[in-house]
Amino acid sequence: GDRFTAVELFEGASIFNPAIAKTLTREEAMSKLEKLRHLPALNKEGDANIVDKLKKGWNAYRQKVVMVHSKFDYKKDHSAILSWHYKQSLHLDDELAEDSRRGKRCRYCSCGSSQCHCNSNLRAYWEAAQLLSLVMPSSGAAERVFSLLNNHFNEHQTRALSDKIFL
Protein backbone atom coordinates (compact mmCIF):
# COMPACT_ATOMS: atom_id res chain seq x y z
CA GLY A 1 0.00 0.00 0.00
CA ASP A 2 0.99 3.58 0.63
CA ARG A 3 3.57 2.57 3.27
CA PHE A 4 5.39 0.35 0.78
CA THR A 5 5.80 3.21 -1.69
CA ALA A 6 6.92 5.55 1.11
CA VAL A 7 9.55 3.05 2.30
CA GLU A 8 10.75 2.57 -1.29
CA LEU A 9 10.94 6.34 -1.78
CA PHE A 10 13.06 6.81 1.36
CA GLU A 11 15.26 3.88 0.39
CA GLY A 12 15.85 5.53 -2.98
CA ALA A 13 16.52 8.88 -1.29
CA SER A 14 19.49 7.37 0.53
CA ILE A 15 21.46 7.92 -2.67
CA PHE A 16 21.65 11.61 -1.76
CA ASN A 17 23.93 10.76 1.17
CA PRO A 18 27.43 10.86 -0.36
CA ALA A 19 28.71 8.32 2.17
CA ILE A 20 26.18 5.82 0.82
CA ALA A 21 26.30 6.88 -2.84
CA LYS A 22 30.03 6.34 -3.18
CA THR A 23 29.68 2.69 -2.14
CA LEU A 24 27.05 1.83 -4.77
CA THR A 25 27.61 0.03 -8.03
CA ARG A 26 25.95 1.48 -11.11
CA GLU A 27 23.22 -1.18 -10.99
CA GLU A 28 22.48 -0.50 -7.31
CA ALA A 29 22.37 3.24 -8.01
CA MET A 30 19.97 2.81 -10.93
CA SER A 31 17.72 0.66 -8.73
CA LYS A 32 17.66 3.32 -5.99
CA LEU A 33 17.04 6.11 -8.48
CA GLU A 34 14.16 4.13 -10.01
CA LYS A 35 12.48 4.07 -6.58
CA LEU A 36 12.33 7.87 -6.65
CA ARG A 37 9.61 7.60 -9.31
CA HIS A 38 7.13 7.20 -6.44
CA LEU A 39 7.32 10.97 -5.91
CA PRO A 40 5.25 12.55 -8.72
CA ALA A 41 7.29 15.79 -8.64
CA LEU A 42 10.36 13.80 -9.71
CA ASN A 43 8.58 11.69 -12.31
CA LYS A 44 7.02 14.17 -14.73
CA GLU A 45 6.56 13.58 -18.45
CA GLY A 46 9.17 14.46 -21.05
CA ASP A 47 12.17 16.71 -20.45
CA ALA A 48 10.92 17.66 -16.97
CA ASN A 49 11.51 14.12 -15.67
CA ILE A 50 14.08 14.56 -12.91
CA VAL A 51 14.62 10.84 -12.33
CA ASP A 52 15.80 10.42 -15.92
CA LYS A 53 18.24 13.32 -15.46
CA LEU A 54 19.54 11.76 -12.23
CA LYS A 55 20.18 8.49 -14.03
CA LYS A 56 21.97 10.22 -16.89
CA GLY A 57 24.07 12.23 -14.44
CA TRP A 58 25.04 9.31 -12.19
CA ASN A 59 28.65 9.07 -13.44
CA ALA A 60 29.26 12.79 -12.84
CA TYR A 61 27.53 12.64 -9.43
CA ARG A 62 29.62 9.61 -8.43
CA GLN A 63 32.80 11.52 -9.27
CA LYS A 64 31.71 14.24 -6.85
CA VAL A 65 30.68 11.93 -3.99
CA VAL A 66 33.87 9.86 -4.01
CA MET A 67 35.71 13.05 -3.08
CA VAL A 68 33.78 13.28 0.21
CA HIS A 69 36.23 11.76 2.70
CA SER A 70 34.23 11.63 5.90
CA LYS A 71 30.74 11.38 7.25
CA PHE A 72 28.82 14.53 7.96
CA ASP A 73 28.78 16.07 11.43
CA TYR A 74 25.06 16.38 12.12
CA LYS A 75 25.73 18.06 15.47
CA LYS A 76 27.09 21.11 13.64
CA ASP A 77 24.68 21.04 10.72
CA HIS A 78 21.37 19.17 11.00
CA SER A 79 20.84 19.49 7.26
CA ALA A 80 24.40 18.58 6.28
CA ILE A 81 23.46 16.48 3.26
CA LEU A 82 21.20 19.18 1.84
CA SER A 83 23.89 21.79 2.55
CA TRP A 84 26.46 19.70 0.68
CA HIS A 85 24.17 19.45 -2.36
CA TYR A 86 23.58 23.19 -2.27
CA LYS A 87 27.31 23.93 -2.16
CA GLN A 88 27.91 21.58 -5.07
CA SER A 89 25.20 23.29 -7.12
CA LEU A 90 26.82 26.69 -6.50
CA HIS A 91 30.02 25.51 -8.21
CA LEU A 92 28.33 24.20 -11.35
CA ASP A 93 28.18 27.59 -13.10
CA ASP A 94 31.89 28.18 -12.46
CA GLU A 95 32.78 24.69 -13.72
CA LEU A 96 30.74 25.18 -16.89
CA ALA A 97 32.26 28.61 -17.53
CA GLU A 98 35.79 27.30 -16.97
CA ASP A 99 35.29 24.31 -19.25
CA SER A 100 33.70 26.49 -21.95
CA ARG A 101 36.26 29.29 -21.71
CA ARG A 102 39.20 27.01 -22.25
CA GLY A 103 37.46 24.89 -24.86
CA LYS A 104 38.13 21.94 -22.58
CA ARG A 105 36.35 18.67 -22.60
CA CYS A 106 33.69 18.08 -19.95
CA ARG A 107 35.41 17.32 -16.65
CA TYR A 108 32.92 14.52 -15.98
CA CYS A 109 32.49 12.63 -19.25
CA SER A 110 35.38 13.99 -21.37
CA CYS A 111 32.88 14.89 -24.06
CA GLY A 112 34.11 17.76 -26.22
CA SER A 113 30.70 18.35 -27.72
CA SER A 114 28.30 21.15 -26.92
CA GLN A 115 25.72 18.38 -26.50
CA CYS A 116 27.08 17.42 -23.07
CA HIS A 117 24.43 17.54 -20.37
CA CYS A 118 26.50 16.66 -17.31
CA ASN A 119 26.07 20.13 -15.82
CA SER A 120 22.27 20.18 -16.13
CA ASN A 121 22.03 16.57 -14.92
CA LEU A 122 24.06 17.48 -11.82
CA ARG A 123 21.67 20.39 -11.19
CA ALA A 124 18.90 17.81 -11.08
CA TYR A 125 20.51 16.27 -7.97
CA TRP A 126 20.14 19.58 -6.11
CA GLU A 127 16.57 20.00 -7.36
CA ALA A 128 15.64 16.46 -6.33
CA ALA A 129 17.31 16.83 -2.92
CA GLN A 130 15.23 19.95 -2.27
CA LEU A 131 11.99 18.21 -3.25
CA LEU A 132 12.77 15.12 -1.19
CA SER A 133 13.60 17.21 1.87
CA LEU A 134 9.96 18.33 1.88
CA VAL A 135 8.62 14.78 2.21
CA MET A 136 7.90 13.92 5.83
CA PRO A 137 7.71 10.31 6.99
CA SER A 138 4.52 9.32 8.77
CA SER A 139 4.59 8.03 12.33
CA GLY A 140 1.27 6.25 11.75
CA ALA A 141 2.77 2.77 11.46
CA ALA A 142 4.65 3.05 14.77
CA GLU A 143 1.56 4.43 16.49
CA ARG A 144 -0.48 1.46 15.25
CA VAL A 145 2.08 -0.98 16.72
CA PHE A 146 1.89 0.66 20.16
CA SER A 147 -1.88 0.79 19.97
CA LEU A 148 -2.00 -2.97 19.31
CA LEU A 149 0.41 -3.64 22.18
CA ASN A 150 -1.66 -1.49 24.54
CA ASN A 151 -4.81 -3.39 23.56
CA HIS A 152 -3.15 -6.72 24.41
CA PHE A 153 -2.13 -5.69 27.92
CA ASN A 154 -4.13 -4.02 30.68
CA GLU A 155 -2.79 -1.53 33.26
CA HIS A 156 -1.71 -4.36 35.64
CA GLN A 157 0.59 -5.81 33.02
CA THR A 158 2.72 -2.76 32.25
CA ARG A 159 5.95 -4.59 33.06
CA ALA A 160 5.08 -7.30 30.55
CA LEU A 161 4.35 -4.59 28.01
CA SER A 162 7.77 -3.00 28.39
CA ASP A 163 9.41 -6.46 28.27
CA LYS A 164 7.50 -7.23 25.07
CA ILE A 165 8.51 -3.94 23.44
CA PHE A 166 12.22 -4.49 24.06
CA LEU A 167 12.19 -8.04 22.65
Side-chain angles (χ1 to χ4, degrees):
D2 62 332
R3 288 181 296 248
F4 176 76
T5 58
V7 168
E8 284 234 314
L9 177 65
F10 285 113
E11 184 180 335
S14 69
I15 202 165
F16 291 94
N17 183 342
I20 292 173
K22 67 182 174 182
T23 66
L24 300 175
T25 64
R26 180 168 182 75
E27 293 76 30
E28 292 168 333
M30 294 301 117
S31 175
K32 284 190 180 290
L33 290 170
E34 194 60 36
K35 292 176 181 185
L36 298 177
R37 292 196 189 276
H38 291 298
L39 185 62
L42 299 178
N43 195 28
K44 295 179 181 175
E45 294 294 322
D47 291 338
N49 190 305
I50 296 173
V51 174
D52 291 343
K53 290 178 184 177
L54 297 175
K55 287 179 152 188
K56 290 175 187 171
W58 166 250
N59 290 337
Y61 180 68
R62 182 128 192 334
Q63 288 180 35
K64 284 195 168 283
V65 299
V66 295
M67 296 174 75
V68 177
H69 295 291
S70 62
K71 294 186 178 183
F72 294 111
D73 185 359
Y74 297 106
K75 291 179 182 173
K76 292 181 181 176
D77 184 359
H78 295 292
S79 60
I81 292 172
L82 197 59
S83 297
W84 181 83
H85 280 276
Y86 174 67
K87 289 173 187 172
Q88 297 306 309
S89 74
L90 292 177
H91 297 290
L92 290 175
D93 288 334
D94 294 337
E95 289 175 1
L96 182 61
E98 182 182 328
D99 290 352
S100 298
R101 184 173 48 248
R102 294 185 182 171
K104 291 173 45 178
R105 295 185 170 286
C106 171
R107 67 183 67 214
Y108 300 109
C109 70
S110 298
C111 173
S113 165
S114 62
Q115 300 299 319
C116 179
H117 297 288
C118 289
N119 195 282
S120 62
N121 291 336
L122 280 170
R123 286 184 197 286
Y125 277 89
W126 167 233
E127 187 177 348
Q130 290 177 84
L131 291 169
L132 284 165
S133 71
L134 299 174
V135 178
M136 299 299 288
S138 170
S139 63
E143 291 172 7
R144 282 190 285 280
V145 168
F146 284 105
S147 175
L148 286 170
L149 286 172
N150 281 329
N151 288 336
H152 285 291
F153 300 98
N154 64 30
E155 63 276 350
H156 298 293
Q157 296 173 315
T158 56
R159 179 69 182 148
L161 174 60
S162 63
D163 290 346
K164 186 78 170 175
I165 290 172
F166 290 112
L167 290 178

